[in-house]
Amino acid sequence: MADVNALTSSAYSQALEVIASVEPRVAEATRQELADQRASLKLIASENYASPAVLLTMGTWFSDKYAEGTVGHRFYAGCQNVDTVEALAAEHARELFGAEYAYVQPHSGIDANLTAYWAILAHRVEGPWLQNAGVKNMNDLSETEWERLRNELGNQRLLGMSLDAGGHLTHGFRPNISGKMFHQQQYGTDPETGLLDYDALAAKAREFKPLIIVAGYSAYPRRVNFAKMREIADEVGATLMVDMAHFAGLVAGKVFTGDEDPVPHAHVVTSTSHKSLRGPRGGFILATDEYAPSVDRGCPMVLGGPLSHVMAAKAVAFAEARRPEFQTYAQDIADNAKALAEGFLKRGVKLVTGGTDNHIVLLDVSSLGITGRQAESALLDSGVVTNRNSVPSDPNGAWYTSGVRLGTPALTTRGLGADEFDQVADLIVNVLKSTSPGTTSAGAPSKASYVIADGVAEKTKAAAAELMGRFPLYPGLDLS
Ligand SMILES: *Cc1c(COP(=O)(O)O)cnc(C)c1O
């Protein structure tokens, strides 16, 4: 076989020359982005490094093609090659996750959720309404009936995990469209343990009687029992939607199985493809045969033309995730998160829920006397990229926060193991213990500005670069 690293180097060097001939500053920023990603410790839980094959697949003329519709049923002519890649992506997704049906057109996680919401509304509300009215097509409803149906669609209830417990803004958060298109209520975690409280959730579901229960999270460091979630949904007649955007890689890699695998339990599963799953930036939906015909109408219901170049890259990424190596990768993500969590606990840093059993570690930095924002900034100055995050009942609110969210998928891709993650914990703890709040112009303690003890940022940055140098990103890719 040809030397893939050498091919990748020449492919990117030549691509950057072509780009530079039009706008050299974009070529330069692209080079610099690689250098920056190579040097920094990327602990953002939602990020990863896709393979060169996945990245290269995105940069083609598939981007130029309109293909509204579904495989074999397009509103545009000449879609035979788009049909090939979309069908492949869907087939790989079905096989990878053991799903009855897969829809790979959503452009992002948010698009996948919006599409899923409207598919569920179409299946549960609009379909029965049309049947009752004795018409096949909504265009055949009278103006009065149409107004009544629109009101009915706008009158449905959604129960999702609250943002500060680790849910996502698309799960009924008021500033998001999901909080406006539904009557929404939120479930949370036990204030003592930080763990999901299934009994409180069930009680809330019985009282609220939602049409949809959404499970899934962006910042919850524990596994979820989806069999239990389905039982609750069935009891109240709700559709169970699981948003696995964050942990799809752990499902694909068979770390989450049985009750922890959402696919056999949920009616509809939504996801991104670019987080722990390590594919191109995009979204997709898995569904049971019952919901498939509604999800299949994502275009024209919610979406316009699909991103054919990204669907092609999804096919490549899902094919990668079907290889046995991906299961090893997924198990390493979870093992590394455990090592990282232990590294913090033994150095006296508090963790939300006291640990992790997925890919996320959520630091509570309040006992160190700083805000999440100060911690995030001090770490960034030190070459460690993280993001601040609320902790349950956060006294500092959603902007300053008291937490820092860390995730292991990206650095696990680079090959770091348990020993290195312990070293990462050591570097982080040292920075946080060397950081203190600055003062506002009025002399009060600030929640934003901060002071790091002399030399700590520089020393940490050098240690991070040394560590990253031992685990090169895209080894062999040389743009010089
Ligand atoms: C990241 C995320 C999304 C949104 O994905 P985008 O591709 O950024 O739109 C949706 N839901 C959850 C749970 C997420 O973590």
Side-chain angles (χ1 to χ4, degrees):
M1 209 174 114
D3 178 350
V4 176
N5 288 335
L7 287 178
T8 306
S9 286
S10 71
Y12 278 112
S13 297
Q14 290 170 30
L16 287 170
E17 259 179 62
V18 174
I19 295 166
S21 74
V22 180
E23 176 45 290
R25 288 169 296 184
V26 169
E28 192 40 45
T30 306
R31 277 176 192 275
Q32 190 57 45
E33 180 61 22
L34 178 62
D36 291 354
Q37 291 209 22
R38 279 180 159 165
S40 61
L41 276 177
K42 175 145 97 173
L43 285 158
I44 294 184
S46 51
E47 292 190 5
N48 212 327
Y49 308 102
S51 73
V54 167
L55 297 179
L56 285 166
T57 306
M58 277 190 282
T60 78
W61 28 92
F62 267 125
S63 171
D64 299 332
K65 191 74 195 93
Y66 247 109
E68 286 180 57
T70 50
V71 174
H73 304 272
R74 305 286 185 185
F75 293 91
Y76 288 80
C79 295
Q80 59 283 357
N81 300 308
V82 179
D83 281 353
T84 301
V85 296
E86 180 173 353
L88 268 171
E91 182 192 321
H92 280 310
R94 285 194 307 272
E95 292 292 326
L96 178 62
F97 292 103
E100 289 173 4
Y101 165 81
Y103 184 66
V104 297
Q105 291 193 16
H107 309 166
S108 67
I110 283 205
D111 275 12
N113 284 352
L114 262 187
T115 304
Y117 288 147
W118 283 106
I120 295 167
L121 287 169
H123 181 67
R124 300 270 321 260
V125 180
E126 186 180 287
W129 187 279
L130 297 182
Q131 200 167 22
N132 239 351
V135 299
K136 278 225 155 58
N137 188 317
M138 68 192 93
N139 292 327
D140 298 333
L141 292 173
S142 71
E143 285 303 314
T144 322
E145 287 169 321
W146 175 236
E147 255 326 289
R148 283 173 50 213
L149 170 57
R150 276 172 24 82
N151 279 326
E152 191 63 22
L153 286 166
N155 214 15
Q156 301 301 318
R157 291 182 294 274
L158 177 90
L159 180 61
M161 193 172 190
S162 70
L163 201 63
D164 74 349
H168 190 258
L169 66 156
T170 52
H171 299 179
F173 186 49
R174 280 184 182 180
N176 182 260
I177 188 171
S178 59
K180 299 182 174 93
M181 63 184 260
F182 291 109
H183 299 288
Q184 50 81 22
Q185 283 195 15
Q186 311 258 280
Y187 61 87
T189 46
D190 183 291
E192 292 292 308
T193 61
L195 297 172
L196 230 168
D197 185 343
Y198 295 95
D199 293 336
L201 162 57
K204 198 163 245 185
R206 280 180 207 118
E207 194 182 327
F208 187 47
K209 300 218 174 349
L211 179 81
I212 303 174
I213 295 179
V214 188
Y217 52 79
S218 308
Y220 180 66
R222 296 290 175 176
R223 301 186 185 187
V224 174
N225 184 328
F226 296 112
K228 210 180 266 184
M229 291 295 239
R230 176 60 185 262
E231 255 173 52
I232 297 169
D234 282 347
E235 188 194 327
V236 301
T239 298
L240 177 63
M241 174 173 139
V242 175
D243 178 354
M244 65 169 182
H246 245 265
F247 53 87
L250 298 176
V251 179
K254 312 272 184 279
V255 174
F256 292 180
T257 57
D259 291 353
E260 295 165 356
D261 178 356
V263 180
H265 303 293
H267 299 94
V268 179
V269 175
T270 59
S271 188
T272 61
S273 40
H274 52 275
K275 297 184 181 176
S276 54
L277 193 49
R278 207 162 63 178
R281 184 160 295 278
F284 65 98
I285 302 174
L286 307 173
T288 57
D289 285 333
E290 182 194 349
Y291 282 82
S294 310
V295 175
D296 217 31
R297 294 206 303 272
C299 168
M301 196 163 47
V302 173
L303 305 168
L307 310 178
S308 303
H309 55 308
V310 180
M311 293 198 296
K314 286 171 189 167
V316 174
F318 296 161
E320 286 177 350
R322 289 184 66 189
R323 295 179 176 170
E325 303 92 280
F326 195 85
Q327 297 189 12
T328 311
Y329 166 63
Q331 188 58 52
D332 288 346
I333 291 177
D335 293 346
N336 285 337
K338 277 225 158 30
L340 184 64
E342 277 159 25
F344 286 112
L345 292 173
K346 77 182 186 206
R347 291 175 177 87
V349 175
K350 208 171 134 195
L351 303 180
V352 175
T353 78
T356 179
D357 50 29
N358 56 19
H359 61 297
I360 294 172
V361 174
L362 198 52
L363 306 185
D364 182 343
V365 297
S366 56
S367 61
L368 298 167
I370 52 176
T371 63
R373 183 166 158 163
Q374 287 160 333
E376 174 196 86
S377 306
L379 288 168
L380 188 63
D381 291 347
S382 312
V384 184
V385 191
T386 65
N387 63 280
R388 64 185 187 278
N389 209 97
S390 307
V391 302
S393 319
D394 201 309
N396 286 320
W399 179 251
Y400 295 110
T401 79
S402 305
V404 176
R405 185 186 67 164
L406 310 173
T408 53
L411 292 187
T412 301
T413 294
R414 288 182 75 156
L416 277 72
D419 289 348
E420 290 80 21
F421 273 97
D422 184 65
Q423 193 188 336
V424 168
D426 190 53
L427 290 174
I428 291 176
V429 172
N430 189 39
V431 171
L432 298 181
K433 288 189 170 165
S434 309
T435 302
S436 49
T439 44
T440 64
S441 49
S446 169
K447 289 188 178 199
S449 71
Y450 57 97
V451 184
I452 318 180
D454 266 357
V456 171
E458 295 70 19
K459 235 181 79 193
T460 310
K461 211 174 205 169
E466 188 277 326
L467 180 61
M468 290 296 87
R470 287 197 277 129
F471 297 90
L473 173 60
Y474 305 126
L477 171 54
D478 179 7
L479 296 183
S480 57

